Amino acid sequence: MINIRTIRKLKDNEGLTLKKGNRITYKSGYQVATHGIEVTTAEETISIVKACGGTCGVWYSGGIYYIDYSKHIATKREAVALGKACNQQNILKWNNMALIWLA
């Protein structure tokens, strides 16, 4: 399971994806947030990560930790549909780590 030291080491505009508390990367597919929480401390972040079973995304930017409940989706069409249904601004394409902006 990820620990608080890892959360504290995140630099501005840096993040990670977790599955059951462990860092994970995928070679293909898309990552889509369904909903999220914003907090300002590493302690609050690790508490939320543990509460969701360690399956989420964590992003740090401008002094705020963003914890996203997210899903790995195989196809772009399904990922875009879910992203729009969840009012997301973008989704992540794993094979090149690009953001796909949703209009």
Side-chain angles (χ1 to χ4, degrees):
M1 175 69 98
I2 192 168
N3 61 45
I4 198 162
R5 287 185 303 274
T6 302
I7 299 297
R8 286 184 180 138
K9 287 181 183 178
L10 289 175
K11 294 180 173 79
D12 201 42
N13 292 318
E14 189 174 64
L16 47 93
T17 301
L18 304 169
K19 184 174 182 181
K20 297 182 182 176
N22 298 306
R23 281 185 188 221
I24 189 164
T25 58
Y26 295 96
K27 293 183 181 186
S28 63
Y30 303 83
Q31 202 71 23
V32 182
T34 56
H35 63 285
I37 299 169
E38 299 174 14
V39 297
T40 57
T41 69
E43 291 78 13
E44 291 171 300
T45 302
I46 200 72
S47 177
I48 294 166
V49 168
K50 288 179 180 178
C52 72
T55 300
C56 60
V58 177
W59 186 264
Y60 179 73
S61 180
I64 298 172
Y65 293 93
Y66 299 87
I67 304 100
D68 288 331
Y69 292 76
S70 65
K71 295 181 183 230
H72 180 245
I73 306 292
T75 69
K76 182 178 180 181
R77 185 168 60 149
E78 288 177 282
V80 167
L82 179 59
K84 286 181 178 180
C86 295
N87 297 315
Q88 296 300 312
Q89 294 179 355
N90 56 59
I91 58 177
L92 175 72
K93 183 176 181 181
W94 275 105
N95 74 347
N96 64 1
M97 299 302 287
L99 293 178
I100 297 173
W101 293 89
L102 307 176

